[in-house]
Amino acid sequence: MLTKETLYQLVETSNALPKLPLNIQNIFKLLNTPAQIYIDDVAKLVEEDQELSKLLLRHLNSNVFLLYRNISDIKEAVTFLGIESVRNLLIFFIAQKFFQAADTGKAAVFNMRQYWKHVLATSIAADMICSRLGIEDRYRMFSYGLNHDIGILVMNACLPKELDEITSKVKSGVPQIVAEKAVLGGVTHSHIGAWICQRWNFSPEITRVVELHHTPYFGTEDLKTLEIMYLADLIGTQYYERLLNVNSSMQINHKVLGSLGLTLEDQKEIGIALPNEVARIAKYFIL
């Protein structure tokens, strides 16, 4: 069985672990200092990568975000959506781009395309929760959902054998986290995700969501965001388990519902609406 130390060494030395180009590193370095950001500087850096710029604008102007206006350039995107939402969307597209380009890894039993539906379901559930709570910054929560399981991307690229073993356990009814700890010596995709966030110098905010979306009360900052992402992930996981024809009987932390002012009926209604919304949006985000 892997230990925590040998696991990270295995990932670190994997030929499948992407290295971010300098221009991408510069984008995140700038975006990680929001108090000192000049929008023109952000727009200039992002637009230097034409592929990334076109990808971002195409998605923003799709039916996903239901904006009342057309976003014509990166400066307008940052002004309209905010730095955090644009930064999180960039993380999602960059992670997809570089991990998909990896020549090695990629699990056989685990189906990444199918798992993206869980990721997207979590994003949509987060948006629905925000709608019920009257939270206006829904784009930020949606974009957090897109990145919350970046650790799975790392595992698919660098630990495909272990991910297949975990997936087999999940398909037999073992909860995802329990299966991961059994196979990875106590480590989970949340730990691996936080590790890659720190390695790539992502912001503390996105790193916190990635690390604590299963354990919100381990956090000491921005607790409401962690509670929302916990609930969104749970609803997204229930949706994903139905795709796999399994039921791990996940139990919700009722403290989260109470803290957010939501009920089990709210959770149920979001879960019922989720499949149609995933079907509507999947063509834009599942590559």
mmCIF file with all atom_site columns, all heavy atoms in Angstrom, residues 257-269:
data_model
loop_
_atom_site.group_PDB
_atom_site.id
_atom_site.type_symbol
_atom_site.label_atom_id
_atom_site.label_alt_id
_atom_site.label_comp_id
_atom_site.label_asym_id
_atom_site.label_entity_id
_atom_site.label_seq_id
_atom_site.pdbx_PDB_ins_code
_atom_site.Cartn_x
_atom_site.Cartn_y
_atom_site.Cartn_z
_atom_site.occupancy
_atom_site.B_iso_or_equiv
_atom_site.pdbx_formal_charge
_atom_site.auth_seq_id
_atom_site.auth_comp_id
_atom_site.auth_asym_id
_atom_site.auth_atom_id
_atom_site.pdbx_PDB_model_num
ATOM 1  N N   . LEU A 1 257 ? -26.914 22.275 6.386  1.00 0.00 ? 257 LEU A N   1
ATOM 2  C CA  . LEU A 1 257 ? -28.243 22.720 5.960  1.00 0.00 ? 257 LEU A CA  1
ATOM 3  C C   . LEU A 1 257 ? -28.786 23.789 6.902  1.00 0.00 ? 257 LEU A C   1
ATOM 4  O O   . LEU A 1 257 ? -29.297 24.826 6.470  1.00 0.00 ? 257 LEU A O   1
ATOM 5  C CB  . LEU A 1 257 ? -29.211 21.540 5.899  1.00 0.00 ? 257 LEU A CB  1
ATOM 6  C CG  . LEU A 1 257 ? -29.108 20.592 4.713  1.00 0.00 ? 257 LEU A CG  1
ATOM 7  C CD1 . LEU A 1 257 ? -30.078 19.425 4.873  1.00 0.00 ? 257 LEU A CD1 1
ATOM 8  C CD2 . LEU A 1 257 ? -29.376 21.321 3.398  1.00 0.00 ? 257 LEU A CD2 1
ATOM 9  N N   . GLY A 1 258 ? -28.671 23.528 8.203  1.00 0.00 ? 258 GLY A N   1
ATOM 10 C CA  . GLY A 1 258 ? -29.183 24.484 9.182  1.00 0.00 ? 258 GLY A CA  1
ATOM 11 C C   . GLY A 1 258 ? -28.468 25.820 9.109  1.00 0.00 ? 258 GLY A C   1
ATOM 12 O O   . GLY A 1 258 ? -29.100 26.881 9.175  1.00 0.00 ? 258 GLY A O   1
ATOM 13 N N   . SER A 1 259 ? -27.153 25.766 8.945  1.00 0.00 ? 259 SER A N   1
ATOM 14 C CA  . SER A 1 259 ? -26.373 26.996 8.878  1.00 0.00 ? 259 SER A CA  1
ATOM 15 C C   . SER A 1 259 ? -26.739 27.834 7.658  1.00 0.00 ? 259 SER A C   1
ATOM 16 O O   . SER A 1 259 ? -26.770 29.069 7.715  1.00 0.00 ? 259 SER A O   1
ATOM 17 C CB  . SER A 1 259 ? -24.874 26.661 8.865  1.00 0.00 ? 259 SER A CB  1
ATOM 18 O OG  . SER A 1 259 ? -24.092 27.831 8.730  1.00 0.00 ? 259 SER A OG  1
ATOM 19 N N   . LEU A 1 260 ? -27.023 27.151 6.544  1.00 0.00 ? 260 LEU A N   1
ATOM 20 C CA  . LEU A 1 260 ? -27.373 27.860 5.310  1.00 0.00 ? 260 LEU A CA  1
ATOM 21 C C   . LEU A 1 260 ? -28.849 28.254 5.272  1.00 0.00 ? 260 LEU A C   1
ATOM 22 O O   . LEU A 1 260 ? -29.263 29.007 4.380  1.00 0.00 ? 260 LEU A O   1
ATOM 23 C CB  . LEU A 1 260 ? -27.050 26.980 4.098  1.00 0.00 ? 260 LEU A CB  1
ATOM 24 C CG  . LEU A 1 260 ? -25.570 26.717 3.819  1.00 0.00 ? 260 LEU A CG  1
ATOM 25 C CD1 . LEU A 1 260 ? -25.416 25.719 2.672  1.00 0.00 ? 260 LEU A CD1 1
ATOM 26 C CD2 . LEU A 1 260 ? -24.836 28.019 3.482  1.00 0.00 ? 260 LEU A CD2 1
ATOM 27 N N   . GLY A 1 261 ? -29.632 27.733 6.202  1.00 0.00 ? 261 GLY A N   1
ATOM 28 C CA  . GLY A 1 261 ? -31.056 28.026 6.194  1.00 0.00 ? 261 GLY A CA  1
ATOM 29 C C   . GLY A 1 261 ? -31.809 27.253 5.135  1.00 0.00 ? 261 GLY A C   1
ATOM 30 O O   . GLY A 1 261 ? -32.855 27.712 4.636  1.00 0.00 ? 261 GLY A O   1
ATOM 31 N N   . LEU A 1 262 ? -31.309 26.071 4.786  1.00 0.00 ? 262 LEU A N   1
ATOM 32 C CA  . LEU A 1 262 ? -31.940 25.218 3.778  1.00 0.00 ? 262 LEU A CA  1
ATOM 33 C C   . LEU A 1 262 ? -32.495 23.964 4.444  1.00 0.00 ? 262 LEU A C   1
ATOM 34 O O   . LEU A 1 262 ? -32.208 23.672 5.604  1.00 0.00 ? 262 LEU A O   1
ATOM 35 C CB  . LEU A 1 262 ? -30.931 24.837 2.691  1.00 0.00 ? 262 LEU A CB  1
ATOM 36 C CG  . LEU A 1 262 ? -30.365 26.001 1.865  1.00 0.00 ? 262 LEU A CG  1
ATOM 37 C CD1 . LEU A 1 262 ? -29.276 25.502 0.911  1.00 0.00 ? 262 LEU A CD1 1
ATOM 38 C CD2 . LEU A 1 262 ? -31.469 26.709 1.080  1.00 0.00 ? 262 LEU A CD2 1
ATOM 39 N N   . THR A 1 263 ? -33.287 23.218 3.703  1.00 0.00 ? 263 THR A N   1
ATOM 40 C CA  . THR A 1 263 ? -33.908 22.005 4.225  1.00 0.00 ? 263 THR A CA  1
ATOM 41 C C   . THR A 1 263 ? -33.581 20.820 3.329  1.00 0.00 ? 263 THR A C   1
ATOM 42 O O   . THR A 1 263 ? -33.050 20.976 2.219  1.00 0.00 ? 263 THR A O   1
ATOM 43 C CB  . THR A 1 263 ? -35.439 22.163 4.284  1.00 0.00 ? 263 THR A CB  1
ATOM 44 O OG1 . THR A 1 263 ? -35.945 22.281 2.927  1.00 0.00 ? 263 THR A OG1 1
ATOM 45 C CG2 . THR A 1 263 ? -35.832 23.396 5.080  1.00 0.00 ? 263 THR A CG2 1
ATOM 46 N N   . LEU A 1 264 ? -33.931 19.629 3.785  1.00 0.00 ? 264 LEU A N   1
ATOM 47 C CA  . LEU A 1 264 ? -33.774 18.431 2.958  1.00 0.00 ? 264 LEU A CA  1
ATOM 48 C C   . LEU A 1 264 ? -34.624 18.527 1.691  1.00 0.00 ? 264 LEU A C   1
ATOM 49 O O   . LEU A 1 264 ? -34.254 17.977 0.647  1.00 0.00 ? 264 LEU A O   1
ATOM 50 C CB  . LEU A 1 264 ? -34.162 17.188 3.764  1.00 0.00 ? 264 LEU A CB  1
ATOM 51 C CG  . LEU A 1 264 ? -33.176 16.748 4.844  1.00 0.00 ? 264 LEU A CG  1
ATOM 52 C CD1 . LEU A 1 264 ? -33.769 15.615 5.676  1.00 0.00 ? 264 LEU A CD1 1
ATOM 53 C CD2 . LEU A 1 264 ? -31.854 16.295 4.221  1.00 0.00 ? 264 LEU A CD2 1
ATOM 54 N N   . GLU A 1 265 ? -35.735 19.237 1.776  1.00 0.00 ? 265 GLU A N   1
ATOM 55 C CA  . GLU A 1 265 ? -36.583 19.426 0.602  1.00 0.00 ? 265 GLU A CA  1
ATOM 56 C C   . GLU A 1 265 ? -35.866 20.281 -0.445 1.00 0.00 ? 265 GLU A C   1
ATOM 57 O O   . GLU A 1 265 ? -35.963 20.019 -1.655 1.00 0.00 ? 265 GLU A O   1
ATOM 58 C CB  . GLU A 1 265 ? -37.908 20.078 0.996  1.00 0.00 ? 265 GLU A CB  1
ATOM 59 C CG  . GLU A 1 265 ? -38.942 20.145 -0.117 1.00 0.00 ? 265 GLU A CG  1
ATOM 60 C CD  . GLU A 1 265 ? -39.373 18.774 -0.609 1.00 0.00 ? 265 GLU A CD  1
ATOM 61 O OE1 . GLU A 1 265 ? -39.295 17.792 0.169  1.00 0.00 ? 265 GLU A OE1 1
ATOM 62 O OE2 . GLU A 1 265 ? -39.777 18.683 -1.790 1.00 0.00 ? 265 GLU A OE2 1
ATOM 63 N N   . ASP A 1 266 ? -35.135 21.295 -0.002 1.00 0.00 ? 266 ASP A N   1
ATOM 64 C CA  . ASP A 1 266 ? -34.327 22.096 -0.928 1.00 0.00 ? 266 ASP A CA  1
ATOM 65 C C   . ASP A 1 266 ? -33.304 21.213 -1.639 1.00 0.00 ? 266 ASP A C   1
ATOM 66 O O   . ASP A 1 266 ? -33.124 21.289 -2.858 1.00 0.00 ? 266 ASP A O   1
ATOM 67 C CB  . ASP A 1 266 ? -33.595 23.213 -0.172 1.00 0.00 ? 266 ASP A CB  1
ATOM 68 C CG  . ASP A 1 266 ? -34.516 24.312 0.296  1.00 0.00 ? 266 ASP A CG  1
ATOM 69 O OD1 . ASP A 1 266 ? -35.272 24.846 -0.532 1.00 0.00 ? 266 ASP A OD1 1
ATOM 70 O OD2 . ASP A 1 266 ? -34.476 24.632 1.502  1.00 0.00 ? 266 ASP A OD2 1
ATOM 71 N N   . GLN A 1 267 ? -32.622 20.382 -0.847 1.00 0.00 ? 267 GLN A N   1
ATOM 72 C CA  . GLN A 1 267 ? -31.626 19.477 -1.415 1.00 0.00 ? 267 GLN A CA  1
ATOM 73 C C   . GLN A 1 267 ? -32.265 18.553 -2.446 1.00 0.00 ? 267 GLN A C   1
ATOM 74 O O   . GLN A 1 267 ? -31.730 18.343 -3.542 1.00 0.00 ? 267 GLN A O   1
ATOM 75 C CB  . GLN A 1 267 ? -30.973 18.652 -0.308 1.00 0.00 ? 267 GLN A CB  1
ATOM 76 C CG  . GLN A 1 267 ? -29.965 17.626 -0.811 1.00 0.00 ? 267 GLN A CG  1
ATOM 77 C CD  . GLN A 1 267 ? -29.542 16.656 0.287  1.00 0.00 ? 267 GLN A CD  1
ATOM 78 O OE1 . GLN A 1 267 ? -29.706 16.928 1.466  1.00 0.00 ? 267 GLN A OE1 1
ATOM 79 N NE2 . GLN A 1 267 ? -29.004 15.516 -0.107 1.00 0.00 ? 267 GLN A NE2 1
ATOM 80 N N   . LYS A 1 268 ? -33.425 18.007 -2.106 1.00 0.00 ? 268 LYS A N   1
ATOM 81 C CA  . LYS A 1 268 ? -34.124 17.085 -2.999 1.00 0.00 ? 268 LYS A CA  1
ATOM 82 C C   . LYS A 1 268 ? -34.542 17.778 -4.292 1.00 0.00 ? 268 LYS A C   1
ATOM 83 O O   . LYS A 1 268 ? -34.364 17.230 -5.394 1.00 0.00 ? 268 LYS A O   1
ATOM 84 C CB  . LYS A 1 268 ? -35.347 16.511 -2.290 1.00 0.00 ? 268 LYS A CB  1
ATOM 85 C CG  . LYS A 1 268 ? -36.146 15.519 -3.128 1.00 0.00 ? 268 LYS A CG  1
ATOM 86 C CD  . LYS A 1 268 ? -37.347 14.997 -2.348 1.00 0.00 ? 268 LYS A CD  1
ATOM 87 C CE  . LYS A 1 268 ? -38.186 14.045 -3.200 1.00 0.00 ? 268 LYS A CE  1
ATOM 88 N NZ  . LYS A 1 268 ? -39.375 13.544 -2.435 1.00 0.00 ? 268 LYS A NZ  1
ATOM 89 N N   . GLU A 1 269 ? -35.075 18.985 -4.196 1.00 0.00 ? 269 GLU A N   1
ATOM 90 C CA  . GLU A 1 269 ? -35.539 19.710 -5.379 1.00 0.00 ? 269 GLU A CA  1
ATOM 91 C C   . GLU A 1 269 ? -34.384 20.048 -6.314 1.00 0.00 ? 269 GLU A C   1
ATOM 92 O O   . GLU A 1 269 ? -34.520 19.951 -7.547 1.00 0.00 ? 269 GLU A O   1
ATOM 93 C CB  . GLU A 1 269 ? -36.274 20.982 -4.943 1.00 0.00 ? 269 GLU A CB  1
ATOM 94 C CG  . GLU A 1 269 ? -37.629 20.711 -4.304 1.00 0.00 ? 269 GLU A CG  1
ATOM 95 C CD  . GLU A 1 269 ? -38.282 21.967 -3.758 1.00 0.00 ? 269 GLU A CD  1
ATOM 96 O OE1 . GLU A 1 269 ? -37.651 23.049 -3.863 1.00 0.00 ? 269 GLU A OE1 1
ATOM 97 O OE2 . GLU A 1 269 ? -39.407 21.875 -3.238 1.00 0.00 ? 269 GLU A OE2 1
#
